[in-house]
Amino acid sequence: MSSPRPSLARVPAAAEPRPAGSSQPLLGCRVRAGFPSPADDHLDVEIDLHAHVVRRPAATYFVRAEGDSMLGDGIHDGDLLVVDRSLEPLPGRVVIIAVDGEPTVKRLTRRAGRTFLEASNPCFAPMPLEGRECQVWGVVTHVLHALPGAAP
Amino acid sequence: MIALVDSNDFYVSCERVFDPRLEGRPVGVLSNNDGCVVARSAELKALGVAMGAPMHLLSPAIRRQATLLSSNYALYGDMSRRVNLVLGEFSPDVEVYSIDESFVGFAGHAPSRLEALGRRLRETVGRDTGIPVCVGLAPTRVLAKAANRVAKTSPALGGVCRLDAESAATRRVLEGLPVHALWGVARRSAERLALMDIHTAWQLREADPKRIRRAFSVVLERIVWELRGRPAILLDDLAAPRQRIMVSRSFGRLTGDWRDLQEAVRQHGARVAEKLRRQGSLARAVLVFLRSDPHRLGERQYHNSVVVPLAGPSDDSRALLEAAGRGLAAIFLEGVRYQKCGVMLMDLVDVECHQLSLLASRDETARGRDRRLMTAVDRLNREMGRDTVRFGLPRQDTAWALRCERRTPRYTTRWNELMRVKVR
């Protein structure tokens, strides 16, 4: 690729000012006849919902919710949950956690130095984590809830 | 330095990610058609179930205790993709060697920091995918493979092992490693090496490379150099596009029905054509083969194959399937019950290399139309799920459809099979 010959130094650098009248580089776009579009100077890329929701593709999984103990967080029966395994299970986050081998959706909370799993439905009492075999599976980042007329 | 990243009991690990109850229990994954055990958890190994054990020979006690699953290749393929996605964050130089093994180039890192890097890689893969991996670090692939083996078998190392070219530790490992356990050494070579009094990897490392080359092959000579820490197996060796591609499969049950074979060949042909287009090649010939079950006594034995040349190099499913169909008609024999058939595409050339003569031989617009059709078919099948668009109409309940009664949901590739989580 690079030649050791000193003659290389004679090649003018790209940044050198070009003498007047020399050819200019071509524009990298097609030239159209007719009026230019007023939007040409303001081109943006399409908004991509997937990229917005899936920040880390290798670590992001979609799962289906079954049950209604998290209605207070907007999670309905049958909703689609976006789960990021790379996020830390900090208190306050809604997580998927396997308790005794059974994955479930709960909010992590800390009170008086103890960690609890909380449902957002008052019918379910907080469950202390101590003394249980449990493993955080991932952090729920988004809920996709289908309204009437939409595909689930 | 090169890292070999190898997933532990990959298929079983994939199943456990989505069903945590399988953790700590004996789990096995069965081959196509649920024939035999192709992946075992440590607990299943402890029960004495051998690799490749036929499922129908497992004792009722083991069948009761163990969870035996059909292989879920859609899931394993996607999890493998995710693991490699993570590896790509650690190095631009990731070479997928198999579904559960990748070589990762770590050029330019200070040797003293490599182990910490390996541990971070291992933690990140584990966190993002749930798949446990082991990391073998070494200056060559053959040594990286050996290092990985050490990482796997010595829990104290925490899943990461580094072997330098010249070190007492490397010598100890190689002295304890029989040659047949080395990557790239076939069993027959190992037997012949034993006659030369070469039994361990260390003895092979100390052998004269020229002598090894004369007595065996250039490949084995390269292994000697690799054992000495000199890279001799090139990164590109395995990355070159394949010269032939094949799809074949056993029938779920023996069949002598012409229509079963026709459909199977059509299905395999469509699949293999998809692979051809994915690697950007054209085929010049199609090979079709079929055979009866050679292990079935008293059954009429027959096997045959035929090569059908194509009019010109092509990647058009219709041309390939037409050729495969003619090939099948030529070798099909009435009254034989077939166990397996397959379609292979041969004499492959690059699309790019061939563009000119294609344009010369065919009308350009027709050619573009065909190409767009095939691209659309591939895209539909990729995005909407396999077999959304098929060539010809397969029947339900055909003999050749894979037996997969115990397959878990395809959690990551099908909308209607997502993991379900209780919100109670």
Side-chain angles (χ1 to χ4, degrees):
Chain A
M1 198 170 70
S2 66
S3 149
R5 288 171 56 207
S7 67
L8 257 184
R10 286 205 302 273
V11 178
E16 252 181 358
R18 288 159 185 280
S22 75
S23 65
Q24 291 295 309
L26 289 173
L27 283 176
C29 66
R30 233 183 308 177
V31 179
R32 277 163 304 190
F35 293 104
S37 159
D40 267 359
D41 289 341
H42 307 275
L43 283 183
D44 258 334
V45 283
E46 229 176 297
I47 282 181
D48 183 348
L49 180 63
H50 187 82
H52 177 70
V53 169
V54 178
R55 289 299 161 102
R56 219 177 135 70
T60 304
Y61 300 80
F62 300 138
V63 310
R64 192 68 76 183
E66 279 184 338
D68 53 9
S69 77
M70 294 297 281
L71 278 174
D73 286 281
I75 300 176
H76 298 69
D77 188 32
D79 280 358
L80 185 71
L81 308 182
V82 181
V83 183
D84 188 338
R85 287 183 58 107
S86 71
L87 292 178
E88 255 203 89
L90 300 174
R93 288 185 168 169
V94 173
V95 297
I96 295 194
I97 183 166
V99 182
D100 303 322
E102 174 89 31
T104 170
V105 182
K106 290 281 183 297
R107 177 186 296 282
L108 277 180
T109 52
R110 265 187 91 71
R111 254 179 284 141
R114 295 173 68 198
T115 305
F116 291 85
L117 290 184
E118 267 186 18
S120 55
N121 183 329
C123 306
F124 300 85
M127 172 203 295
L129 269 191
E130 284 155 6
R132 279 177 185 273
E133 181 71 38
C134 57
Q135 176 114 40
V136 174
W137 198 89
V139 173
V140 181
T141 58
H142 299 81
V143 184
L144 192 66
H145 176 66
L147 294 172
Chain B
M1 287 290 254
I2 295 171
L4 174 65
V5 181
D6 187 332
S7 307
N8 307 353
D9 307 322
F10 181 63
Y11 294 179
V12 171
S13 298
C14 290
E15 300 287 354
R16 281 178 168 163
V17 170
F18 296 92
D19 188 354
R21 279 167 307 178
L22 297 177
E23 210 64 58
R25 301 193 45 206
V27 181
V29 174
L30 304 165
S31 63
N32 273 346
N33 286 326
D34 292 353
C36 41
V37 180
V38 292
R40 303 164 297 159
S41 71
E43 298 80 3
L44 192 65
K45 291 174 195 167
L47 287 177
V49 175
M51 188 67 172
M55 151 99 153
H56 66 274
L57 292 183
L58 297 182
S59 74
I62 285 179
R63 284 202 212 194
R64 243 192 333 273
Q65 283 180 67
T67 307
L68 297 169
L69 302 166
S70 304
S71 27
N72 186 347
Y73 285 111
L75 175 67
Y76 311 151
D78 185 62
M79 294 308 283
S80 171
R81 181 186 64 84
R82 288 169 183 266
V83 169
N84 285 300
L85 220 51
V86 177
L87 300 185
E89 294 169 11
F90 285 81
S91 163
D93 183 13
V94 176
E95 187 205 298
V96 180
Y97 179 64
S98 70
I99 194 164
D100 58 353
E101 281 171 291
S102 293
F103 287 105
V104 181
F106 275 155
H109 285 277
S112 55
R113 289 182 38 213
L114 278 173
E115 272 141 312
L117 189 66
R119 270 192 293 277
R120 204 153 56 76
L121 180 149
R122 192 171 174 265
E123 276 154 24
T124 312
V125 171
R127 183 195 69 192
D128 286 7
T129 68
I131 303 290
V133 296
C134 281
V135 183
L137 294 156
T140 68
R141 290 150 172 272
V142 170
L143 282 177
K145 199 80 176 162
N148 189 283
R149 197 187 156 95
V150 177
K152 241 180 207 162
T153 46
S154 327
L157 291 173
V160 180
C161 171
R162 176 176 140 208
L163 288 182
D164 292 321
E166 310 285 341
S167 82
T170 304
R171 179 169 184 162
R172 257 199 319 279
V173 167
L174 294 185
E175 278 174 347
L177 193 65
V179 273
H180 66 76
L182 273 176
W183 184 48
V185 178
R187 222 195 32 217
R188 281 205 38 216
S189 306
E191 284 163 7
R192 282 172 55 209
L193 281 167
L195 296 178
M196 295 165 74
D197 217 23
I198 296 174
H199 305 280
T200 70
W202 181 259
Q203 287 167 332
L204 182 61
R205 177 198 143 114
E206 294 301 292
D208 176 14
K210 285 206 194 89
R211 182 165 162 239
I212 294 293
R213 180 185 193 148
R214 271 198 308 275
F216 294 90
S217 64
V218 69
V219 177
L220 202 59
E221 184 204 357
R222 285 184 184 158
I223 289 174
V224 175
W225 287 117
E226 289 247 329
L227 284 171
R228 294 179 182 190
R230 214 169 88 181
I233 294 172
L234 293 175
L235 271 162
D236 297 341
D237 276 357
L238 302 146
R242 285 174 290 182
Q243 270 308 297
R244 43 176 62 174
I245 319 177
M246 180 166 86
V247 170
S248 70
R249 209 150 281 162
S250 299
F251 292 104
R253 55 182 143 86
L254 298 186
T255 177
D257 186 345
W258 161 250
R259 284 189 309 170
D260 276 346
L261 276 130
Q262 219 181 5
E263 279 168 28
V265 163
R266 204 186 294 144
Q267 173 89 20
H268 299 342
R271 197 73 85 222
V272 81
E274 210 179 298
K275 289 187 177 181
L276 181 78
R277 291 191 288 271
R278 206 181 311 141
Q279 77 167 37
S281 302
L282 304 169
R284 291 203 192 90
V286 180
L287 178 146
V288 184
F289 78 89
L290 42 72
R291 66 166 165 79
S292 53
D293 183 353
H295 303 298
R296 192 78 69 111
L297 295 172
E299 207 45 69
R300 186 173 165 200
Q301 291 298 325
Y302 174 68
H303 62 93
N304 205 350
S305 67
V306 64
V307 176
V308 185
L310 296 164
S314 174
D315 63 358
D316 188 312
S317 287
R318 291 163 300 174
L320 300 171
L321 290 180
E322 194 267 333
R326 272 191 295 135
L328 177 68
I331 56 173
F332 176 81
L333 208 60
E334 202 76 55
V336 177
R337 299 202 305 150
Y338 296 95
Q339 191 226 1
K340 189 172 192 167
C341 72
V343 178
M344 184 195 277
L345 301 181
M346 304 166 64
D347 275 351
L348 307 188
V349 282
D350 261 13
V351 173
E352 265 91 67
C353 304
H354 213 79
Q355 218 83 53
L356 268 179
S357 59
L358 276 173
L359 293 177
S361 66
R362 279 203 67 179
D363 173 23
E364 194 177 346
T365 49
R367 169 79 203 153
R369 206 176 53 221
D370 292 350
R371 173 130 291 195
R372 281 198 303 280
L373 174 64
M374 289 305 132
T375 310
V377 166
D378 288 348
R379 217 184 80 200
L380 282 168
N381 283 336
R382 202 169 53 236
E383 288 174 4
M384 316 280 290
R386 278 224 160 143
D387 296 333
T388 301
V389 182
R390 291 191 271 202
F391 295 87
L393 278 179
R395 287 171 295 143
Q396 290 292 308
D397 184 36
T398 42
W400 56 272
L402 275 184
R403 219 186 290 144
C404 46
E405 291 150 3
R406 305 144 181 269
R407 199 196 59 220
T408 50
R410 291 163 286 191
Y411 301 105
T412 59
T413 53
R414 300 276 173 142
W415 283 115
N416 52 358
E417 298 183 23
L418 296 179
M419 179 184 180
R420 298 183 164 273
V421 179
K422 295 264 161 23
V423 192
R424 288 199 179 117

